[in-house]
Amino acid sequence: MTELIKTPRAGETLPVTAGKRTNPLANVFDELVRFAQSRSLFMLHYCTGCGAIELPPAMTSRFDMERLGIQPMVSPRQADILLVTGYVSVKTLKRVILTYEQMGSPKYVIGICSCTVNGGMYWQSYATAKKLNDYMPVDIYIAGCMPRPEAVIAGLRELMENIRQGKADSWKDYYRHYDHYLGHQQRLFGETWQTPTDVISEARHYGLFGPDTLGTHTALLEQHQKPLEALEMKVDIPELTARR
Amino acid sequence: MTKDLSTWLDTLLSELQGIEVRRKSSRRIRVDVQPDALPALLELLRGRASYVHLSAISCVDWIEENEFELVYHVWSYEIGSLVSAHTRIARNPGVYISVYDIYTPAAFFERDIHEMFGVFFEGSPDMSKFILTEWDGPPPMRKDFDSEAWVNAHFDFQDYQPDWLTEIEAKGGGVAVRPDEQRFSRRDVDAS
């Protein structure tokens, strides 16, 4: 018999009860899983700025990222790492957030180049977002304009090490402090900003629903949120309908 | 042959009234023209002098003179030379006539200038947003748009005061000009 887990309402926190792990091999198994995770990272093929030009040499023969178990992946649903390479314009940032929310957990964000840290040489540009970690949790920053492939690989190795030690859990931050991130997004994109991903339900699903998940900004989101509708399926080919 | 053609062009342009022609080099001519005569000049250059390629229309904001300068760059493949026709229009209300009927590619340049500078081109096929589709501020390339103030009002900057830096500074080293004293200071925002 399974017990129904009580879903917390807004402003209410669920007492965290650490489950007793009776299996003596559990920790060993966890370590093995983490080791395996750190050695098979799929890197999303989505590059925003000029720093992306350092990735082809990092991936191909000379520096060969695949020997570390990192390979590019075209769809966000299968990817683990989101590389944000270089400047993120306000227009791109919307797409980056949509992509990030589509990725399955655990997911890691790496900010490459100075622009993701502090705007870089576009510090005065009206179109470039300055701090990437205002809008999504960033695991590792690789500074430089641009960082060389060695630096990119060094950063990725550091991420691998963090995953192996279980320290790379900033993706949980997005669920725990969703109101904070959403607030920054709303400040930039306006009050009517909405993504098709239901982050709050996901937070409940992962058991990461915290006191900061909901707040003033999510209340604002609820006011403006349009319910998502499935796309209408319509086939309008005369030859096909005639054959039926 | 090319030389003959360009001499012929010089004679032609020198006969026109109310325009100022300056030959910058063997392949570049600068023409300053009144705004009401510019379409006629372009018509002439395209129809009679083989300047069939409109490379670009650029806009310069002369805020002190309260004027916009529009520069039409037209290229001739036969003569192999570039004519840039400069004209100045009033900054307020910033309305000018489209040259879409003479050069079709002008539609894109005019749409771009409309969005970046706010100049409206009468008779242009489409004046809707082009690149800045999600931008609702003032035209950002105008001189009176203060980009830095806009940035300070809309974004935060990273605090760059890590612990290891204070340790180095205690020993007399570190950053010569602190970030909050540098160019992107938030002084202006805090004062207002």
Side-chain angles (χ1 to χ4, degrees), chain B residues 45-91:
Chain B
L45 283 173
R46 189 192 145 83
R48 306 292 299 278
S50 82
Y51 283 82
V52 290
H53 180 85
L54 176 74
S55 308
I57 304 174
S58 38
C59 185
V60 187
D61 186 1
W62 297 99
I63 190 166
E64 277 163 22
E65 284 108 67
N66 209 15
E67 279 174 338
F68 282 122
E69 182 175 5
L70 293 170
V71 190
Y72 293 75
H73 307 272
V74 285
W75 171 260
S76 163
Y77 291 98
E78 286 171 38
I79 308 174
S81 83
L82 187 85
V83 172
S84 41
H86 295 241
T87 187
R88 289 202 177 203
I89 58 165
R91 208 161 173 280

Side-chain angles (χ1 to χ4, degrees), chain A residues 64-240:
Chain A
D64 197 10
M65 221 183 249
E66 204 159 330
R67 75 199 146 93
L68 304 175
I70 301 167
Q71 70 161 18
M73 170 51 62
V74 283
S75 103
R77 302 259 179 225
Q78 277 94 39
D80 302 300
I81 315 176
L82 176 63
L83 290 177
V84 182
T85 50
Y87 63 87
V88 192
S89 74
V90 177
K91 219 170 154 181
T92 320
L93 185 61
K94 281 187 179 177
R95 279 77 184 171
V96 171
I97 291 167
L98 290 179
T99 314
Y100 177 70
E101 288 185 356
Q102 280 178 45
M103 286 164 65
S105 304
K107 49 193 171 185
Y108 312 102
V109 179
I110 299 185
I112 301 183
C113 300
S114 310
C115 294
T116 53
V117 183
N118 218 348
M121 62 184 277
Y122 301 104
W123 63 275
Q124 206 188 16
S125 159
Y126 61 91
T128 312
K130 305 293 175 279
K131 274 167 77 179
L132 185 64
N133 62 356
D134 271 354
Y135 311 100
M136 57 176 67
V138 178
D139 279 279
I140 279 189
Y141 278 119
I142 305 170
C145 184
M146 306 170 254
R148 285 203 30 96
E150 292 99 316
V152 174
I153 285 178
L156 286 165
R157 283 184 63 106
E158 202 179 322
L159 177 71
M160 284 166 67
E161 189 59 25
N162 284 357
I163 295 171
R164 200 183 61 73
Q165 292 172 2
K167 287 196 288 187
D169 54 359
S170 71
W171 61 275
K172 293 178 181 169
D173 254 35
Y174 197 68
Y175 297 114
R176 287 197 183 119
H177 307 283
Y178 180 55
D179 191 59
H180 164 82
Y181 292 109
L182 183 69
H184 279 290
Q185 292 165 16
Q186 280 175 351
R187 184 182 168 195
L188 208 54
F189 309 141
E191 289 181 354
T192 51
W193 164 247
Q194 176 198 349
T195 55
T197 319
D198 191 350
V199 180
I200 299 161
S201 299
E202 276 189 17
R204 289 209 175 98
H205 170 79
Y206 287 117
L208 295 170
F209 190 92
D212 295 328
T213 307
L214 296 186
T216 48
H217 302 292
T218 45
L220 201 64
L221 174 74
E222 258 173 54
Q223 280 175 25
H224 296 285
Q225 199 167 27
K226 280 178 257 143
L228 295 170
E229 288 166 11
L231 288 175
E232 193 190 346
M233 293 293 281
K234 202 165 122 189
V235 182
D236 200 17
I237 307 165
E239 290 88 348
L240 212 67

Side-chain angles (χ1 to χ4, degrees), chain A residues 90-91 94-95 116-135 141 184 187-188, chain B residues 116 130-135 140-141 145-148 150-160 183-186:
Chain A
V90 177
K91 219 170 154 181
K94 281 187 179 177
R95 279 77 184 171
T116 53
V117 183
N118 218 348
M121 62 184 277
Y122 301 104
W123 63 275
Q124 206 188 16
S125 159
Y126 61 91
T128 312
K130 305 293 175 279
K131 274 167 77 179
L132 185 64
N133 62 356
D134 271 354
Y135 311 100
Y141 278 119
H184 279 290
R187 184 182 168 195
L188 208 54
Chain B
M116 292 294 185
F130 185 30
I131 298 164
L132 305 174
T133 44
E134 287 156 36
W135 170 257
M141 298 288 274
F145 173 71
D146 189 347
S147 191
E148 194 169 345
W150 198 91
V151 163
N152 282 338
H154 286 80
F155 300 103
D156 286 330
F157 286 104
Q158 202 100 262
D159 284 332
Y160 190 65
R183 51 195 187 180
F184 48 77
S185 74
R186 296 181 58 85

